[in-house]
Amino acid sequence: MIGRITGILIEKTPPVVCVDVNGVGYEIDVPMSTLYALPENGARVTLFTHLVVREDAHLLYGFGTASERAAFRELVKVSGIGARTALAVLSGMSVAELAQAITLQESGRLTRVPGIGKKTAERLLLEMRGKLGADIGATPHAVPDSQSDILNALVALGYSEKESLAALKTLPEGISVSDGIRQALKALAR
C-alpha cells in the first residue's frame, strides 16, 4: 500500500495531479478541496494516498489531510459509492460538514453533491452513522455542543435517535441546553 507521497508537483489537470518522486511521476486523483489547497507547479507537496488495485488498473487517490483520506475510505465502504462518487462528496463538502450531515441525518445536504440522489444519500447516512468523528479527525465542533447535549438528553429520556434528531432540527440556533430540551420535548409531545 502506498500511504503517502512526497515530491515535486509537476502538473495539475483536474481532478488529476502529477507528483514527481525521484524521477517517477505519479498520477493521483484528488478531490477539488485538495486541488485548490495545492501550491503552484514546481513546489514540494505531500499527499496522503489510497491505492486501489483492480484487474485492469492501479489507481492512486490523494488527499491533503489524513482525515480526508479516512473519510474517503469510509465512503467507499458504503454500497453504491465508488471512488469517483466519494471524491465528489469530498469535493462538495469538508470532512467536518460531512460528519455534521451524518450526525444530524441531513440527506438534503448530501443531495446537493452531483451524483448523489435521495436514495444514495439515505443509504450513506444509514451506513455511515457513527463512523465519522474524532477517530478520523473531524473537528469536535462539527455539531454545536448545545445541540449534542440536547440530543444526548432526549435519547437518555427514551426517545429514538431519529425522533430526537427531528426535534433538534426545529430548534433555533444558539439555544441553551435547558431551553432546547424543554422546546424539543414540547415538539415531541405533539
Side-chain angles (χ1 to χ4, degrees):
M1 179 67 85
I2 299 172
R4 189 175 71 182
I5 296 261
T6 299
I8 305 299
L9 180 64
I10 55 176
E11 185 179 0
K12 290 192 263 188
T13 314
V16 178
V17 298
C18 188
V19 178
D20 181 288
V21 181
N22 298 323
V24 177
Y26 290 91
E27 288 185 349
I28 306 169
D29 286 275
V30 296
M32 297 309 286
S33 56
T34 297
L35 185 75
Y36 295 141
L38 290 175
E40 294 299 316
N41 290 348
R44 190 166 184 80
V45 296
T46 297
L47 293 172
F48 294 90
T49 59
H50 178 80
L51 177 65
V52 174
V53 179
R54 295 191 330 212
E55 187 175 308
D56 60 341
H58 289 215
L59 304 169
L60 197 56
Y61 298 95
F63 308 93
T65 64
S67 64
E68 275 187 333
R69 178 180 62 184
F72 174 84
R73 288 176 172 169
E74 289 298 328
L75 283 166
V76 295
K77 289 178 187 175
V78 175
S79 60
I81 303 285
R84 292 278 173 217
T85 305
L87 284 180
V89 170
L90 292 174
S91 293
M93 58 180 34
S94 70
V95 175
E97 291 169 334
L98 177 61
Q100 184 177 19
I102 291 167
T103 301
L104 297 177
Q105 295 291 290
E106 295 178 336
S107 63
R109 289 173 73 176
L110 293 172
T111 57
R112 290 186 214 133
V113 175
I116 301 286
K118 185 170 174 52
K119 287 184 179 181
T120 304
E122 289 172 358
R123 182 173 48 248
L124 196 147
L125 290 175
L126 178 68
E127 291 188 32
M128 295 221 19
R129 178 179 285 162
K131 293 187 180 172
L132 290 185
D135 57 322
I136 65 159
T139 61
H141 301 293
V143 176
D145 289 335
S146 62
Q147 287 189 349
S148 179
D149 290 342
I150 295 166
L151 177 65
N152 290 336
L154 294 173
V155 171
L157 289 170
Y159 291 98
S160 72
E161 189 172 347
K162 185 175 182 177
E163 290 173 319
S164 301
L165 287 169
L168 198 63
K169 290 178 186 177
T170 66
L171 302 177
E173 286 188 34
I175 192 167
S176 70
V177 174
S178 60
D179 289 339
I181 293 171
R182 202 173 297 115
Q183 287 184 25
L185 287 172
K186 285 179 185 175
L188 288 166
R190 292 182 194 141

